[in-house]
Amino acid sequence: MSAEAVIISGLEKSYPGSEQPAVKGIDLTISQGEFFGLLGPNGAGKSTTIAMLSGLMDPDSGTIEILEQAMGRNRKKVKALFGLVPQEIALYETLSGRENLRFFGRLYNIKNDLLKDRIEFCLDFSGLNKRADKQASTYSGGMKRRLNLAIALLHEPRILFLDEPTVGIDAQSRQLIHSRLQELVDGGVTIIYTTHYMEEAEHLCSRVAIIDQGRILDSGSPGSLNENHQSSNLEETFFQLTGKGLRD
Amino acid sequence: MNNMLTIAAKELLLLRRDPGGLLVLFLMPAVLVLIITMVQKNVMELTGEQQARLLFIDESKSEFGQSLTKIFADDDSFVLFPRESSERDQALAEVKEGEYTACVIVSKGIDQTLTKKLAALFAGNADESGSQGTSAAFSVSFDPALLPAFRGGVIGKLKVAAAQVEMKKKINHLEAELTKKMEEAGMPPEAIAGEAVALGGLADQLVEVREEEDSDEQDRPGVVQQNVPAWALFGMFFTVLPLGGALLRERRSGVWDRFLSMPLSPMSVLMGKVTAYSLVCLLQFALIGGIGYKVFPMLGLPAFSIAGAEIEIFVTVVAVSLAACGYGLLLGMICSSFEQVSMFGSISIVISAAIGGIMVPVYAMPEKLQQLSVVSPLNWGLTSFHDVLIRDTSLWRLDSGVLFLILFSAVCITLSWRLAAGGR
């Protein structure tokens, strides 16, 4: 497990009509099996970075390497290696949990027998077995978030990108998601995680990067960052680096 | 291919679970084609086929009035309701209220005026016999709500009837004058009778205007053969709204991001949607065609038929479906809200239908709109249907509407794919 999971080099991205680049020169290396947190205020460049890592958009410049494969050249092959849990709840409300899983599983070209097993595993993993055949529109916010996560796990990805996966859900669902993610990391999956909850990042992540205005301000384990900035917790460190001014 | 079929199956499942969407896709065009065809058939009949209910008041009590009564009574275009002179005001009021089509009043003294005019004509007095002389007229009052075309049709028939009576009267007068002149010339009346040309027959119509008909009466273009494909086309293009809306929902819900992060081509996602909604379009056409074939005859309308042109119709329906789906994809990719999809989608289809000849035939439009109709995809579809069903011309030519529809869909799908592949 010594190989790097993700290597980002000189990543830059500007949106048309925007004065400031969203991402300007990010360099980052994430090892396999790491639980990596990407922290920053609104508009810092977290979601843009995740979008470029997961192939939703191309960088203006810079390179992305995932499990030793360059993103630009082997896009299809690289995409099979990771799963994305988007910030939005990306599923079909009028399909049941099982139907959602079956649909996305088929798009990953998982063979029928294996797909059945994977669906059962994902339903169990997300605690949705009892409501698997009910339409997703009848699910609570927490159940939808769990299904959102389960879909990304169908094809057994080696890397998981999660963009604020616990927004707006109750403590029980959050607790379940945290424990399941820890199980995945224990099983060797690399997780790259964005969140606004500092406590969550401090508790889960083995390493974090704090970014603002498209640049990485500092990175390291939560403990070492707190020590370097003489803070009692990650939230204090975060405010020291990004300031307390409101962001649009 | 597998991905495309998976997407198509999912789209059909989502549609099956959306009763509102299914109603829009299937019930709306079915009801539309039924109502519009029945209404248009009635309008077409009003301009020539339906019987006019005529109130007839003969104030003259003359031979002219009697002859006119007989002509109207013998003509299937009219149902005659004779009234007395004393009922004139009431009759006019009934026509104004729309109970009758028109009221014809033959004024008192019309016979004498006509006789006087004829005498003047044979005496060579042009002033007296022509329009400057005393008028010999009968008046007509119409239901104010009557269509101008129907009004014109009734007036035309009244003029023909008047001309027939007038001609008979002229010939009678000519016969009398001829007899008188020959007697004056010393020829015995028996000789005249023996040599006489049947002058009374001069009033008969010798030249007949005959409308050429196809050998098979069923092949004649009628309101059904024109309306069924026209409104099916309109319904098929309305798949733009659910398709555009579904794509926009995926873009906004993050599902599209999920697709982009997966090892599959955006084109396979788009073509999966095109496959599903093209199938919906085919079913729509089958439903509306089926209504035209089975239900219309029950309502007294001719049956819709595609006999002998099944392949051409299938090709046309597929081309229309691809064009509609391509346009739906483009709207779903360009628009950023459901309001934009529904407003822009429906308005653009209604405008395209209006200038494309779906609602009013292109030849009945102002010249500038006629020129504009060539840019309407609905016009390309309608022209193709008419080529096959009515004009019996080939689809396989360079200016065929089918070709334009396929090119239009290719442009729309390519643009959608470029936008989709470009990511966020």
Side-chain angles (χ1 to χ4, degrees):
Chain A
M1 286 275 198
S2 58
E4 311 301 350
V6 178
I7 302 171
I8 304 169
S9 171
L11 206 61
E12 296 206 3
K13 181 75 187 176
S14 297
Y15 291 112
S18 176
E19 287 173 17
Q20 292 290 320
V23 173
K24 37 187 175 185
I26 287 187
D27 298 299
L28 202 59
T29 301
I30 300 162
S31 303
Q32 283 191 56
E34 244 189 313
F35 200 134
F36 188 87
L38 211 49
L39 312 178
N42 285 336
K46 307 183 296 292
S47 292
T48 303
T49 305
I50 291 280
M52 287 187 281
L53 286 174
S54 52
L56 307 188
M57 61 172 71
D58 290 327
D60 295 338
S61 61
T63 57
I64 298 169
E65 220 174 89
I66 290 180
L67 294 168
E68 298 178 330
Q69 312 245 22
M71 176 64 114
R73 266 174 268 152
N74 311 306
R75 195 168 282 260
K76 247 185 165 174
K77 208 171 165 186
V78 173
K79 282 180 176 181
L81 300 171
F82 63 78
L84 170 71
V85 182
Q87 194 172 339
E88 302 86 3
I89 295 173
L91 45 85
Y92 294 99
E93 297 268 338
T94 51
L95 298 186
S96 68
R98 192 185 302 278
E99 285 167 339
N100 268 293
L101 289 166
R102 189 181 301 130
F103 167 66
F104 287 106
R106 282 188 180 148
L107 289 183
Y108 275 113
N109 285 321
I110 304 171
K111 300 288 172 221
N112 275 346
D113 288 345
L114 179 60
L115 181 58
K116 269 183 196 165
D117 293 344
R118 289 302 301 164
I119 289 171
E120 290 312 316
F121 169 80
C122 289
L123 285 171
D124 187 47
F125 183 87
S126 53
L128 290 171
N129 317 55
K130 286 181 186 165
R131 301 288 301 275
D133 296 309
K134 299 282 178 202
Q135 288 195 8
S137 57
T138 65
Y139 290 3
S140 67
M143 291 167 78
K144 287 178 186 173
R145 283 275 169 207
R146 282 183 267 147
L147 182 58
N148 206 28
L149 169 64
I151 291 168
L153 297 173
L154 275 163
H155 61 300
E156 300 180 77
R158 291 171 63 190
I159 299 173
L160 198 56
F161 298 117
L162 297 109
D163 196 1
E164 299 183 36
T166 55
V167 173
I169 58 172
D170 59 20
Q172 284 80 0
S173 282
R174 181 175 299 156
Q175 175 59 38
L176 183 88
I177 289 176
H178 289 173
S179 65
R180 295 303 194 207
L181 291 178
Q182 196 55 61
E183 285 173 30
L184 289 172
V185 170
D186 294 344
V189 176
T190 307
I191 289 180
I192 295 152
Y193 190 93
T194 77
T195 183
H196 283 295
Y197 303 120
M198 295 302 137
E199 236 177 88
E200 189 175 270
E202 193 159 15
H203 168 67
L204 289 172
C205 299
S206 50
R207 204 154 64 94
V208 297
I210 296 174
I211 68 171
D212 197 12
Q213 296 176 340
R215 288 181 195 280
I216 292 180
L217 304 177
D218 206 348
S219 67
S221 68
S224 66
L225 281 179
N226 292 342
E227 204 178 308
N228 292 347
H229 294 277
Q230 295 174 342
S231 312
S232 57
N233 56 47
L234 196 57
E235 189 166 72
E236 243 183 84
T237 309
F238 182 80
F239 283 133
Q240 275 194 38
L241 288 165
T242 62
K244 286 192 174 176
L246 291 176
R247 306 301 172 92
D248 294 329
Chain B
M1 190 70 176
N2 270 351
N3 288 338
M4 199 177 93
L5 294 177
T6 302
I7 297 274
K10 181 266 300 174
E11 290 295 337
L12 292 173
L13 183 60
L14 290 180
L15 271 175
R16 219 180 69 193
R17 292 193 181 161
D18 179 14
L22 286 178
L23 275 184
V24 171
L25 285 174
F26 289 99
L27 194 66
M28 183 201 72
V31 169
L32 213 55
V33 74
L34 265 172
I35 291 174
I36 304 263
T37 306
M38 290 173 76
V39 168
Q40 284 195 351
K41 185 168 189 291
N42 204 40
V43 169
M44 288 176 101
E45 283 172 343
L46 277 173
T47 56
E49 287 173 35
Q50 201 184 54
Q51 288 183 311
R53 290 158 54 83
L54 280 191
L55 284 176
F56 191 83
I57 302 173
D58 183 10
E59 291 181 336
S60 71
K61 303 290 179 199
S62 64
E63 191 192 335
F64 184 92
Q66 285 165 11
S67 305
L68 213 55
T69 309
K70 190 173 179 321
I71 289 173
F72 288 150
D74 291 346
D75 191 333
D76 288 341
S77 313
F78 301 108
V79 185
L80 214 58
F81 298 90
R83 290 287 169 89
E84 292 302 319
S85 305
S86 56
E87 296 172 299
R88 181 189 174 115
D89 290 346
Q90 195 198 335
L92 289 173
E94 284 172 350
V95 168
K96 203 172 177 184
E97 285 163 12
E99 286 182 41
Y100 294 90
T101 314
C103 178
V104 176
I105 302 172
V106 181
S107 48
K108 207 181 263 184
I110 192 167
D111 234 14
Q112 290 88 327
T113 310
L114 193 57
T115 308
K116 204 172 151 194
K117 277 177 160 279
L118 283 172
L121 179 73
F122 281 91
N125 186 348
D127 285 353
E128 271 286 310
S129 63
S131 58
Q132 289 165 16
T134 316
S135 164
F138 61 87
S139 63
V140 192
S141 305
F142 281 105
D143 168 5
L146 210 61
L147 288 175
F150 185 42
R151 195 182 287 227
V154 173
I155 284 277
K157 286 191 172 174
L158 290 174
K159 279 183 177 173
V160 169
Q164 268 180 283
V165 178
E166 188 183 317
M167 180 60 83
K168 272 201 174 133
K169 215 155 171 58
K170 280 178 180 170
I171 288 162
N172 289 344
H173 201 91
L174 175 65
E175 206 171 0
E177 283 290 318
L178 204 58
T179 308
K180 199 172 127 193
K181 295 281 179 198
M182 290 181 92
E183 275 177 352
E184 283 171 7
M187 288 179 78
E190 300 81 33
I192 301 165
E195 298 291 323
V197 182
L199 289 176
L202 286 176
D204 294 344
Q205 197 175 357
L206 300 180
V207 178
E208 187 190 350
V209 180
R210 200 166 28 204
E211 189 184 346
E212 285 296 331
E213 290 175 3
D214 294 335
S215 54
D216 183 0
E217 183 75 13
Q218 289 291 311
D219 289 343
R220 289 185 64 202
V223 65
V224 168
Q225 290 297 90
Q226 303 201 33
N227 267 5
V228 168
W231 292 101
L233 196 63
F234 191 62
M236 285 192 278
F237 261 88
F238 261 89
T239 53
V240 159
L241 302 187
L243 172 52
L247 184 52
L248 178 66
R249 196 170 297 116
E250 284 176 348
R251 283 176 51 220
R252 289 177 61 162
S253 71
V255 168
W256 195 259
D257 281 354
R258 212 188 266 285
F259 286 149
L260 289 177
S261 75
M262 294 171 82
L264 77 156
S265 147
M267 183 55 103
S268 64
V269 179
L270 296 180
M271 290 315 291
K273 288 176 185 295
V274 169
T275 306
Y277 281 88
S278 290
L279 194 64
V280 168
C281 288
L282 286 171
L283 290 174
Q284 277 180 318
F285 189 84
L287 172 74
I288 294 166
I291 288 173
Y293 179 67
K294 280 280 181 196
V295 181
F296 280 7
M298 294 178 200
L299 301 171
L301 293 162
F304 174 64
S305 166
I306 58 164
E310 291 86 352
I311 294 172
E312 286 86 349
I313 288 294
F314 179 75
V315 170
T316 308
V317 174
V318 169
V320 170
S321 309
L322 289 175
C325 293
Y327 186 48
L329 290 182
L330 193 57
L331 278 189
M333 266 348 270
I334 289 174
C335 293
S336 53
S337 70
F338 293 107
E339 289 76 15
Q340 282 178 15
V341 171
S342 60
M343 290 301 287
F344 188 76
S346 50
I347 289 172
S348 61
I349 293 164
V350 169
I351 290 173
S352 186
I355 63 169
I358 304 289
M359 293 159 184
V360 176
V362 173
Y363 61 76
M365 292 178 191
E367 201 181 328
K368 282 193 174 159
L369 280 183
Q370 286 188 31
Q371 289 165 357
L372 209 60
S373 73
V374 296
V375 299
S376 159
L378 276 90
N379 180 256
W380 305 333
L382 191 62
T383 309
S384 301
F385 280 122
H386 284 180
D387 282 351
V388 175
L389 291 172
I390 295 171
R391 297 191 187 94
D392 201 21
T393 51
S394 170
L395 281 182
W396 323 117
R397 44 180 227 277
L398 276 178
D399 64 342
S400 159
V402 164
L403 195 69
F404 286 120
L405 286 167
I406 291 171
L407 283 174
F408 176 74
S409 73
V411 169
C412 288
I413 292 171
T414 307
L415 285 174
S416 308
W417 171 67
R418 293 294 301 160
L419 289 167
R424 283 176 170 181

